[in-house]
Amino acid sequence: MSVAAVMCVASLSAQKNELPIYLDENAPIEERVEDALQRMTLDEKIAFIHAQSKFSAPGVPRLGIPEVWCTDSSHGIREEVLWDKWSGADWTNDACTAFPGLVCLAATWDTEMASRYGVAIGEEARYRNKNVLLGPGVNIYRTPLCGRNHEYMGEDPYLVSTMTVPYIKGVQSNHVATCVKHFALNNQENRRHSTNVEISDRALYEIYLPAFKAATVDAGSWSIMGAYMKYKNQHCCHNQYLLNDILKGEWGWDGVVISDWGGTHDTHQAIYNGLDLEFGTWTDGLSQGRKNAYDSYHLADTLRSLVKSGDVPVEVLNDKVRRVLRLVFRTTMSANRPYGSFVSPEHSAAALAIAQGGIVLLKNENKVLPMNPSKVKKLLVVGDVATASMMKSGSSTTLKAKYEILPLDGIRAAYPEAEITYMKGYSPSKNDKVERVADIVAEAHKADAVIFFGGLYYRGGQDAEGVDRASMELPYGQDKIVEALCGANPNFAVVMVSGTGVAMPWKDKVPAIVQGWHCGSEAGTAISSVLTGEVNPSGKLPYTYYTNLEQCGAHALGDYPGDEKHHQVYRDDIFVGYRYIDREDITPNFPFGHGLSYTTFEYDNVRINRAKGTANSKFVVSVDVTNSGDVDGKEIVQLYVSAPKGDLPYRAVKELKGFAKVDLKAGETKTVNIPMDFSSLAYFDEQMHDWNVLPGTYKAIIGASSQDLRGEVSFEIK
């Protein structure tokens, strides 16, 4: 607290012989909010609701109310940047732990892992004294081309919602607010500032809103970020329907709506359509003819004048100020706020465990994997991705990591006795000379085993913000190398380092394929531990791995990325991902929920019962799962519900409504119980504008993936 603030507080205390309510950490938050609000001047209120720098908003120095400091946090805490620029400030103590991308977290299908991730990254944000962490991203994977799929958690609203809640609670246990993004419909990067989305209420409520509702209502996220897109011809950062009608109205949420950087476009809408805290509109004051650009923000000088003149009711301003005060009292001015920690051994262990738990074994013919280090004497590793840092570029995913164990480093540590030959093969740099394919094949013939590392980089047009991929194909001629290696060595595995699905024209020829994700600081250790068998892979895909774009509803129905007027109709409606695959009876490369193990699992005796001690609306679906192999392992049991169509024009064939990750020793059997209630059976009734359950026969279906179904049981709803 500043000297002036301390003197002010001392003066107030002398008058009342006690601390002001807003400084009393033990007082109810709403009392603190109202007390602080009535002490603030108009100028202090206006300054309080817009930025003062690239990542901060001013507090109220006179009252000792601190600034709001945000940080990008897709998979780690961003380095300090200059006051008005994106470029780094060149600090020497801001190198963080790099965690795996959130899509890797989703692939763990493990809520305890989500909580661990949230606690760890929240501790790093708290240590750096950030009180708003700009994440998690919970937008739905609608197309494999979206540049930010690696920041999100897949295609299914139930999976994303379930993984989001413990993550948010973990972060906020550090008194650091999550800022869930991007609300809503930010499902592509192309034309993101101008595209107007037209969507049915059913698709909006059934597919694209559930994760945001789980984040705000169930997890209680203290802030949310608007999206760049438009809905009903209004930008989502100031959107009457999304922010006022749904978020603050239907859901009764009391947190802060923060604009995405550059997402605020209209003063009137910014004032009235739900925006509370404006960031990133511009920083160049000279272009605005002012000394301070921030005074030109939509919620700055113009709003002050409108309130002074009476054209805008002061209560409209007060509502925004209340919400930001609430945020400050929940974070920086909360009681017992911990100190946090930064780049600790515990955080490294968490990053490693999340990566190991999320890596997916897509294919493993002839048990090529694991490659036992005691049996591999000569190993060929091919691919630039094996030695490329995944920290820079990607815009908001850019990190300054304290350390990064690259895949090749991990391989060398895991195979200490092997003769390892590394060949770059391809390169994203035109200046790099790479080996001829014939030379790579010749080396493959000499090796005991071959591992190809391929995938996407954190750069524009690949896994990065701002622009979508042009196609599903791998860049830099990677497919040509993989095709040439097929047949050159029977012990051949491909590891994909990417945050989204890629085309695999060679899929049927390669014996072993691993989805390795962007795994952060511990990437090399995590990937090598799976390849050697030290860790039995247990991740499963959080999205459908399409063979081509025609298998994806957003592309097959012809509405991506919108027309020449940047208007896009979501013609795929509720049929996103496996829902479209099911409807059209398509076989993708790998289905949603797919993931193999070094052991095998058998399912038996699927049944459904009323949950004990609960109302009749709650059920438990049970199944006996046996590890029938000779290796300990973890299986993800998935519950899908097939509902009657009734008089509805359409309904999904089945939908994920529960899952459980079970740890089984070789030969062990456990009963897995998955709870379910009426909400699992409901659809969004557009005429009622509410959720509804149809009478009829339902099926509870147990599967190892969305297409590997192991048993079902029918039940009636009357």
Side-chain angles (χ1 to χ4, degrees):
M1 191 179 294
S2 68
V3 173
V6 171
M7 292 175 64
C8 174
V9 170
S11 174
L12 290 169
S13 300
Q15 293 173 20
K16 296 188 176 182
N17 200 29
E18 60 183 12
L19 276 178
I21 295 174
Y22 78 93
L23 290 176
D24 183 356
E25 294 179 337
N26 296 313
I29 280 184
E30 294 309 309
E31 292 184 15
R32 299 178 71 190
V33 167
E34 293 305 317
D35 184 53
L37 181 67
Q38 61 90 21
R39 297 174 188 272
M40 294 171 67
T41 66
L42 175 59
D43 286 348
E44 288 169 341
K45 291 177 182 178
I46 293 295
F48 202 53
I49 61 171
H50 66 79
Q52 66 173 358
S53 75
K54 181 64 73 177
F55 278 105
S56 71
V60 187
R62 182 180 63 87
L63 299 179
I65 296 174
E67 299 166 327
V68 171
W69 277 91
C70 306
T71 179
D72 273 331
S73 59
S74 176
H75 62 126
I77 306 305
R78 188 174 187 149
E79 66 181 314
E80 295 298 330
V81 301
L82 296 174
W83 191 257
D84 286 333
K85 300 181 183 299
W86 292 109
S87 51
D90 294 330
W91 285 22
T92 59
N93 61 350
D94 58 346
C96 69
T97 304
F99 296 92
L102 285 178
V103 69
C104 178
L105 172 64
T108 69
W109 295 60
D110 189 332
T111 55
E112 292 183 5
M113 203 67 75
S115 177
R116 187 176 180 183
Y117 195 132
V119 169
I121 199 169
E123 287 175 344
E124 298 229 339
R126 170 61 192 97
Y127 185 88
R128 291 265 301 280
N129 205 25
K130 310 300 183 184
N131 62 326
V132 178
L133 185 142
L134 301 175
V138 300
N139 291 101
I140 292 296
Y141 182 120
R142 180 175 179 252
T143 164
L145 301 187
C146 178
R148 301 187 82 166
N149 281 339
H150 63 285
E151 294 187 51
Y152 302 148
M153 288 190 270
E155 71 185 32
D156 183 76
Y158 181 87
L159 174 62
V160 179
S161 298
T162 304
M163 295 297 289
T164 295
V165 171
Y167 175 99
I168 290 172
K169 290 182 176 180
V171 171
Q172 294 191 164
S173 69
N174 293 283
H175 300 263
V176 172
T178 53
C179 185
V180 182
K181 60 185 188 181
H182 305 87
F183 190 64
L185 302 170
N186 204 113
N187 311 114
Q188 66 190 60
E189 291 297 287
N190 285 359
R191 304 173 176 177
R192 62 180 181 169
H193 290 280
S194 57
T195 295
N196 182 61
V197 172
E198 182 180 336
I199 185 173
S200 73
D201 278 357
R202 273 195 68 187
L204 182 68
Y205 278 84
E206 292 185 20
I207 304 296
Y208 297 100
L209 291 187
F212 289 104
K213 186 174 183 181
T216 53
V217 176
D218 299 335
S221 180
W222 294 327
S223 64
I224 198 169
M225 183 187 292
Y228 285 132
M229 308 293 283
K230 293 180 180 178
Y231 171 60
K232 294 184 182 290
N233 294 304
Q234 292 180 354
H235 281 94
C236 293
C237 284
H238 36 69
N239 190 288
Q240 170 66 31
Y241 312 95
L242 292 174
L243 302 179
N244 286 339
D245 294 349
I246 297 175
L247 179 64
K248 296 179 178 180
E250 293 177 18
W251 299 350
W253 184 67
D254 68 357
V256 177
V257 174
I258 298 177
S259 67
D260 203 343
W261 275 234
T264 311
H265 301 273
D266 182 277
T267 300
H268 183 272
Q269 291 183 13
I271 293 170
Y272 287 106
N273 289 3
L275 178 62
D276 300 311
L277 186 53
E278 182 182 2
F279 270 101
T281 302
W282 50 72
T283 57
D284 182 4
L286 296 179
S287 69
Q288 301 298 316
R290 292 169 177 260
K291 182 178 180 181
N292 184 354
Y294 302 101
D295 290 338
S296 297
Y297 275 31
H298 298 280
L299 296 182
D301 284 355
T302 301
L303 176 56
R304 178 194 290 106
S305 298
L306 291 171
V307 172
K308 274 188 172 182
S309 67
D311 292 323
V312 171
V314 69
E315 188 51 40
V316 173
L317 171 61
N318 285 348
D319 180 69
K320 301 178 190 299
V321 176
R322 280 190 185 95
R323 291 174 181 272
V324 181
L325 283 169
R326 214 173 272 134
L327 173 71
V328 172
F329 292 143
R330 285 167 167 166
T331 57
T332 315
M333 294 183 72
S334 63
N336 303 316
R337 191 179 188 219
Y339 288 106
S341 55
F342 202 59
V343 200
S344 67
E346 292 80 8
H347 294 173
S348 295
L352 177 60
I354 294 160
Q356 290 171 329
I359 290 172
V360 182
L361 179 61
L362 296 175
K363 184 180 179 182
N364 195 23
E365 288 183 352
N366 303 320
K367 295 185 177 180
V368 166
L369 294 175
M371 294 176 176
N372 192 323
S374 66
K375 298 180 180 179
V376 177
K377 304 303 179 185
K378 186 173 177 59
L379 177 63
L380 173 64
V381 178
V382 181
D384 181 73
V385 162
T387 58
S389 172
M390 292 295 173
M391 297 297 116
K392 296 297 182 182
S393 299
S395 192
S396 61
T397 58
T398 295
L399 290 182
K400 183 200 291 185
K402 185 72 173 179
Y403 70 97
E404 180 183 10
I405 301 172
L406 299 172
L408 184 59
D409 297 331
I411 293 293
R412 284 176 169 153
Y415 294 88
E417 305 300 322
E419 177 188 341
I420 297 175
T421 300
Y422 170 66
M423 303 182 77
K424 196 166 195 173
Y426 61 90
S427 171
S429 172
K430 294 180 181 179
N431 298 323
D432 281 349
K433 294 181 181 180
V434 296
E435 297 84 2
R436 293 186 308 127
V437 173
D439 294 337
I440 297 172
V441 171
E443 286 295 327
H445 282 297
K446 303 174 189 175
D448 296 323
V450 178
I451 303 172
F452 177 87
F453 283 91
L456 305 174
Y457 298 78
Y458 279 146
R459 57 173 55 200
Q462 298 183 45
D463 280 335
E465 179 182 355
V467 61
D468 290 338
R469 297 161 64 201
S471 71
M472 286 185 65
E473 278 65 46
L474 287 167
Y476 316 122
Q478 295 179 52
D479 288 333
K480 182 179 179 181
I481 299 173
V482 176
E483 289 278 3
L485 286 170
C486 293
N489 192 304
N491 297 316
F492 177 35
V494 170
V495 178
M496 275 294 111
V497 176
S498 69
T500 188
V502 300
M504 293 182 172
W506 33 260
K507 174 216 150 189
D508 293 337
K509 303 175 187 176
V510 175
I513 306 173
V514 173
Q515 181 61 35
W517 312 115
H518 297 291
C519 285
S521 288
E522 293 285 341
T525 303
I527 293 171
S528 63
S529 69
V530 169
L531 296 177
T532 62
E534 177 189 347
V535 170
N536 190 351
S538 62
K540 298 212 175 189
L541 290 175
Y543 57 76
T544 301
Y545 222 109
Y546 302 107
T547 304
N548 50 55
L549 288 178
E550 287 68 35
Q551 292 187 336
C552 173
H555 296 271
L557 300 176
D559 62 341
Y560 168 88
D563 62 23
E564 67 280 358
K565 295 182 179 179
H566 294 194
H567 182 81
Q568 182 174 181
V569 183
Y570 278 27
R571 292 191 177 90
D572 47 342
D573 203 77
I574 67 169
F575 296 99
V576 176
Y578 69 87
R579 291 166 172 81
Y580 184 77
I581 292 290
D582 284 351
R583 189 184 79 172
E584 302 299 317
D585 194 21
I586 295 170
T587 301
N589 266 348
F590 303 104
F592 172 80
H594 170 77
L596 303 177
S597 170
Y598 294 149
T599 189
T600 54
F601 300 97
E602 294 181 358
Y603 291 61
D604 189 42
N605 191 22
V606 178
R607 63 261 190 207
I608 186 169
N609 294 290
R610 299 285 187 187
K612 294 181 179 179
T614 65
N616 288 338
S617 63
K618 294 188 180 294
F619 310 85
V620 174
V621 179
S622 302
V623 59
D624 299 330
V625 182
T626 301
N627 181 341
S628 51
D630 54 7
V631 179
D632 298 350
K634 297 176 181 178
E635 173 67 327
I636 298 165
V637 182
Q638 300 159 43
L639 168 64
Y640 297 86
V641 171
S642 176
K645 182 178 175 183
D647 294 329
L648 294 175
Y650 54 85
R651 196 154 193 183
V653 174
K654 65 180 183 295
E655 297 182 298
L656 182 73
K657 294 299 179 182
F659 61 87
K661 194 163 190 174
V662 58
D663 194 346
L664 294 167
K665 296 187 180 302
E668 184 180 14
T669 299
K670 287 183 180 178
T671 297
V672 177
N673 299 308
I674 303 177
M676 179 179 68
D677 60 24
F678 265 22
S679 66
S680 303
L681 314 179
Y683 72 97
F684 190 81
D685 189 317
E686 294 180 319
Q687 292 183 333
M688 293 173 56
H689 196 78
D690 204 351
W691 295 89
N692 196 6
V693 176
L694 291 176
T697 301
Y698 290 74
K699 291 181 181 178
I701 306 168
I702 291 292
S705 80
S706 61
Q707 291 195 342
D708 183 4
L709 307 179
R710 302 296 185 91
E712 65 180 48
V713 59
S714 299
F715 59 100
E716 291 288 328
I717 297 295
K718 297 182 179 179

